[in-house]
Amino acid sequence: MRTKVKVGDLEIGGGSEPVIMAGPCSVAGETEMLEIAVAAKVAGANILRGGAYKPRTRPESFQGLGEDGLKCLADARQVTGLPIISEVTAEKYIDTMKEYVDILQIGSRNMQNYELLKSIGKYASNVPVMLKRGMTATKEELMGALDYLIHHGHNDQIMICERGVRTSVNQGYSRNVLDLNIVSDLKKSVSYPIIVDPSHAAGRADMITDLSRAAIAAGADGLIIEMHTKPAKALSDAAQHITPNVLETIVRNTQDIYHAIRR
Ligand code: PEP
Ligand code: MN
């Protein structure tokens, strides 16, 4: 039997539609966040994403607005009704995040941060989690991370997210390689909903529609996509943000594919 992750009225995993999470890589402020949230809702997204604590490659890069960013997300939820997913990067943020978010995202870089996994299992046992696959993680390592959460008390409301893996053969044209093989495998070998992140896999806005369609065709239960009303203004990962118009097409196309492969 498949595990369904319940977030408010939404049931993720084997529902009648694919679940679409959309929003900016980083929350930049209240007005912008609200504008993006309304656009996401109008385009057909079900969940709002936005990073408040950002794991950045360089220390001088924008690190996120922290709790102020979470407040912007909560205000946007108030207006749109969209539940919120945001990344938790350290144990010290868990309590604060529990006040504001509906789903905790465990980022690629932290998939093997076992102390963080233990703390989330223990202190956020009732909060739905989306565990992102590490960028070089094997399936066994991914399963180990999942088991850490459960072993340490998490209630099993967990989604797994494929977000692209690092290889050398894609250099020069894409950030990572979207591993659709693991989507097909996980659908058969685990009960948890499988989410695909085409944005961090591609690193390029122009690939997101194609990869989204392919992910749903491969069996994904949903997508998490970076979207911005003014993509060039995004404070992180600007090149991979799509516009609300493109998101609307993706929602329509992926619903069609989702239904077609279940007929
Ligand atoms: C993100 O979703 O903004 C992010 C940092 O993703 P990942 O952990 O997959 O790199
Ligand atoms: Mn990003």
PDB file of all heavy atoms in Angstrom, residues 25 49 54-55 87 105 107-109 132 163 197 200 226 237, ligand 1:
ATOM      1  N   CYS A  25      13.590  30.253  -5.192  1.00  0.00           N
ATOM      2  CA  CYS A  25      14.656  29.568  -4.453  1.00  0.00           C
ATOM      3  C   CYS A  25      14.741  30.188  -3.064  1.00  0.00           C
ATOM      4  O   CYS A  25      14.644  29.484  -2.064  1.00  0.00           O
ATOM      5  CB  CYS A  25      15.982  29.723  -5.215  1.00  0.00           C
ATOM      6  SG  CYS A  25      17.360  28.867  -4.443  1.00  0.00           S
ATOM      7  N   ARG A  49       6.752  27.008  -2.334  1.00  0.00           N
ATOM      8  CA  ARG A  49       8.108  26.791  -1.830  1.00  0.00           C
ATOM      9  C   ARG A  49       8.811  28.134  -1.673  1.00  0.00           C
ATOM     10  O   ARG A  49       8.452  29.121  -2.316  1.00  0.00           O
ATOM     11  CB  ARG A  49       8.938  25.875  -2.731  1.00  0.00           C
ATOM     12  CG  ARG A  49       9.322  26.404  -4.101  1.00  0.00           C
ATOM     13  CD  ARG A  49      10.698  25.857  -4.559  1.00  0.00           C
ATOM     14  NE  ARG A  49      11.788  26.493  -3.837  1.00  0.00           N
ATOM     15  CZ  ARG A  49      12.974  25.938  -3.617  1.00  0.00           C
ATOM     16  NH1 ARG A  49      13.244  24.750  -4.078  1.00  0.00           N
ATOM     17  NH2 ARG A  49      13.912  26.603  -2.956  1.00  0.00           N
ATOM     18  N   LYS A  54      19.305  29.482   3.638  1.00  0.00           N
ATOM     19  CA  LYS A  54      19.843  28.984   2.375  1.00  0.00           C
ATOM     20  C   LYS A  54      21.238  28.384   2.531  1.00  0.00           C
ATOM     21  O   LYS A  54      22.142  29.039   3.056  1.00  0.00           O
ATOM     22  CB  LYS A  54      19.922  30.130   1.352  1.00  0.00           C
ATOM     23  CG  LYS A  54      18.588  30.680   0.899  1.00  0.00           C
ATOM     24  CD  LYS A  54      17.660  29.623   0.305  1.00  0.00           C
ATOM     25  CE  LYS A  54      18.235  28.889  -0.882  1.00  0.00           C
ATOM     26  NZ  LYS A  54      17.300  27.837  -1.358  1.00  0.00           N
ATOM     27  N   PRO A  55      21.424  27.151   2.056  1.00  0.00           N
ATOM     28  CA  PRO A  55      22.765  26.547   2.074  1.00  0.00           C
ATOM     29  C   PRO A  55      23.512  26.969   0.804  1.00  0.00           C
ATOM     30  O   PRO A  55      23.292  26.407  -0.252  1.00  0.00           O
ATOM     31  CB  PRO A  55      22.447  25.043   2.052  1.00  0.00           C
ATOM     32  CG  PRO A  55      21.137  24.951   1.318  1.00  0.00           C
ATOM     33  CD  PRO A  55      20.426  26.251   1.455  1.00  0.00           C
ATOM     34  N   GLU A  87      13.201  24.798   3.590  1.00  0.00           N
ATOM     35  CA  GLU A  87      14.314  23.931   4.008  1.00  0.00           C
ATOM     36  C   GLU A  87      14.800  24.228   5.421  1.00  0.00           C
ATOM     37  O   GLU A  87      15.009  25.382   5.793  1.00  0.00           O
ATOM     38  CB  GLU A  87      15.485  24.083   3.016  1.00  0.00           C
ATOM     39  CG  GLU A  87      16.678  23.221   3.407  1.00  0.00           C
ATOM     40  CD  GLU A  87      17.786  23.153   2.362  1.00  0.00           C
ATOM     41  OE1 GLU A  87      17.587  23.626   1.223  1.00  0.00           O
ATOM     42  OE2 GLU A  87      18.865  22.621   2.694  1.00  0.00           O
ATOM     43  N   GLN A 105      11.696  20.704   4.380  1.00  0.00           N
ATOM     44  CA  GLN A 105      12.545  20.160   3.309  1.00  0.00           C
ATOM     45  C   GLN A 105      13.920  19.871   3.889  1.00  0.00           C
ATOM     46  O   GLN A 105      14.504  20.714   4.569  1.00  0.00           O
ATOM     47  CB  GLN A 105      12.637  21.196   2.188  1.00  0.00           C
ATOM     48  CG  GLN A 105      13.598  20.829   1.075  1.00  0.00           C
ATOM     49  CD  GLN A 105      13.529  21.829  -0.073  1.00  0.00           C
ATOM     50  OE1 GLN A 105      12.448  22.296  -0.452  1.00  0.00           O
ATOM     51  NE2 GLN A 105      14.671  22.180  -0.637  1.00  0.00           N
ATOM     52  N   GLY A 107      17.534  19.310   2.590  1.00  0.00           N
ATOM     53  CA  GLY A 107      18.223  19.592   1.334  1.00  0.00           C
ATOM     54  C   GLY A 107      19.230  18.512   0.975  1.00  0.00           C
ATOM     55  O   GLY A 107      19.648  17.692   1.803  1.00  0.00           O
ATOM     56  N   SER A 108      19.580  18.549  -0.300  1.00  0.00           N
ATOM     57  CA  SER A 108      20.541  17.614  -0.857  1.00  0.00           C
ATOM     58  C   SER A 108      21.839  17.544  -0.020  1.00  0.00           C
ATOM     59  O   SER A 108      22.343  16.464   0.283  1.00  0.00           O
ATOM     60  CB  SER A 108      20.845  18.121  -2.272  1.00  0.00           C
ATOM     61  OG  SER A 108      21.669  17.261  -2.933  1.00  0.00           O
ATOM     62  N   ARG A 109      22.317  18.724   0.355  1.00  0.00           N
ATOM     63  CA  ARG A 109      23.591  18.783   1.098  1.00  0.00           C
ATOM     64  C   ARG A 109      23.481  18.185   2.494  1.00  0.00           C
ATOM     65  O   ARG A 109      24.488  17.866   3.106  1.00  0.00           O
ATOM     66  CB  ARG A 109      24.079  20.237   1.175  1.00  0.00           C
ATOM     67  CG  ARG A 109      24.560  20.771  -0.149  1.00  0.00           C
ATOM     68  CD  ARG A 109      24.476  22.290  -0.228  1.00  0.00           C
ATOM     69  NE  ARG A 109      24.715  22.740  -1.588  1.00  0.00           N
ATOM     70  CZ  ARG A 109      23.803  22.723  -2.563  1.00  0.00           C
ATOM     71  NH1 ARG A 109      22.577  22.289  -2.330  1.00  0.00           N
ATOM     72  NH2 ARG A 109      24.101  23.139  -3.777  1.00  0.00           N
ATOM     73  N   LYS A 132      15.410  15.279   0.230  1.00  0.00           N
ATOM     74  CA  LYS A 132      16.026  15.355  -1.101  1.00  0.00           C
ATOM     75  C   LYS A 132      17.230  14.423  -1.167  1.00  0.00           C
ATOM     76  O   LYS A 132      18.004  14.327  -0.207  1.00  0.00           O
ATOM     77  CB  LYS A 132      16.422  16.797  -1.432  1.00  0.00           C
ATOM     78  CG  LYS A 132      15.211  17.724  -1.575  1.00  0.00           C
ATOM     79  CD  LYS A 132      15.581  19.114  -2.045  1.00  0.00           C
ATOM     80  CE  LYS A 132      15.407  19.256  -3.549  1.00  0.00           C
ATOM     81  NZ  LYS A 132      15.582  20.664  -4.000  1.00  0.00           N
ATOM     82  N   ARG A 163      16.575  15.225  -7.340  1.00  0.00           N
ATOM     83  CA  ARG A 163      16.850  16.604  -7.773  1.00  0.00           C
ATOM     84  C   ARG A 163      18.068  16.710  -8.677  1.00  0.00           C
ATOM     85  O   ARG A 163      18.655  17.776  -8.830  1.00  0.00           O
ATOM     86  CB  ARG A 163      16.997  17.507  -6.543  1.00  0.00           C
ATOM     87  CG  ARG A 163      17.891  16.979  -5.467  1.00  0.00           C
ATOM     88  CD  ARG A 163      19.372  17.104  -5.709  1.00  0.00           C
ATOM     89  NE  ARG A 163      19.856  18.457  -5.526  1.00  0.00           N
ATOM     90  CZ  ARG A 163      20.940  18.944  -6.113  1.00  0.00           C
ATOM     91  NH1 ARG A 163      21.688  18.173  -6.919  1.00  0.00           N
ATOM     92  NH2 ARG A 163      21.316  20.184  -5.897  1.00  0.00           N
ATOM     93  N   ASP A 197      12.470  17.349  -8.700  1.00  0.00           N
ATOM     94  CA  ASP A 197      12.877  18.752  -8.784  1.00  0.00           C
ATOM     95  C   ASP A 197      13.669  18.945 -10.076  1.00  0.00           C
ATOM     96  O   ASP A 197      14.857  18.661 -10.128  1.00  0.00           O
ATOM     97  CB  ASP A 197      13.742  19.091  -7.559  1.00  0.00           C
ATOM     98  CG  ASP A 197      14.372  20.482  -7.623  1.00  0.00           C
ATOM     99  OD1 ASP A 197      14.302  21.140  -8.680  1.00  0.00           O
ATOM    100  OD2 ASP A 197      14.953  20.902  -6.608  1.00  0.00           O
ATOM    101  N   HIS A 200      16.775  22.142  -9.973  1.00  0.00           N
ATOM    102  CA  HIS A 200      18.172  21.944  -9.566  1.00  0.00           C
ATOM    103  C   HIS A 200      18.858  20.881 -10.414  1.00  0.00           C
ATOM    104  O   HIS A 200      20.081  20.811 -10.437  1.00  0.00           O
ATOM    105  CB  HIS A 200      18.257  21.637  -8.068  1.00  0.00           C
ATOM    106  CG  HIS A 200      17.853  22.812  -7.222  1.00  0.00           C
ATOM    107  ND1 HIS A 200      16.550  23.033  -6.863  1.00  0.00           N
ATOM    108  CD2 HIS A 200      18.571  23.851  -6.731  1.00  0.00           C
ATOM    109  CE1 HIS A 200      16.479  24.168  -6.163  1.00  0.00           C
ATOM    110  NE2 HIS A 200      17.685  24.682  -6.071  1.00  0.00           N
ATOM    111  N   GLU A 226      11.280  25.882  -9.211  1.00  0.00           N
ATOM    112  CA  GLU A 226      11.576  27.275  -8.876  1.00  0.00           C
ATOM    113  C   GLU A 226      10.912  28.202  -9.896  1.00  0.00           C
ATOM    114  O   GLU A 226      11.139  28.087 -11.100  1.00  0.00           O
ATOM    115  CB  GLU A 226      13.091  27.486  -8.785  1.00  0.00           C
ATOM    116  CG  GLU A 226      13.621  26.778  -7.541  1.00  0.00           C
ATOM    117  CD  GLU A 226      15.061  27.028  -7.194  1.00  0.00           C
ATOM    118  OE1 GLU A 226      15.837  27.462  -8.070  1.00  0.00           O
ATOM    119  OE2 GLU A 226      15.430  26.757  -6.035  1.00  0.00           O
ATOM    120  N   ASP A 237      19.962  31.195  -7.714  1.00  0.00           N
ATOM    121  CA  ASP A 237      19.524  30.293  -8.800  1.00  0.00           C
ATOM    122  C   ASP A 237      18.641  30.965  -9.857  1.00  0.00           C
ATOM    123  O   ASP A 237      17.713  30.345 -10.405  1.00  0.00           O
ATOM    124  CB  ASP A 237      18.785  29.066  -8.225  1.00  0.00           C
ATOM    125  CG  ASP A 237      19.727  28.110  -7.493  1.00  0.00           C
ATOM    126  OD1 ASP A 237      20.955  28.209  -7.685  1.00  0.00           O
ATOM    127  OD2 ASP A 237      19.224  27.254  -6.748  1.00  0.00           O
TER     128      ASP A 237
HETATM  129  C1  PEP B   1      16.594  24.221  -2.897  1.00  0.00           C
HETATM  130  O1  PEP B   1      15.588  23.508  -3.069  1.00  0.00           O
HETATM  131  O2  PEP B   1      16.561  25.451  -2.892  1.00  0.00           O
HETATM  132  C2  PEP B   1      17.909  23.553  -2.794  1.00  0.00           C
HETATM  133  C3  PEP B   1      18.951  24.175  -2.241  1.00  0.00           C
HETATM  134  O3  PEP B   1      17.905  22.316  -3.329  1.00  0.00           O
HETATM  135  P1  PEP B   1      19.017  21.162  -3.223  1.00  0.00           P
HETATM  136  O4  PEP B   1      19.157  20.847  -1.774  1.00  0.00           O
HETATM  137  O5  PEP B   1      18.429  20.058  -4.023  1.00  0.00           O
HETATM  138  O6  PEP B   1      20.283  21.716  -3.837  1.00  0.00           O
END
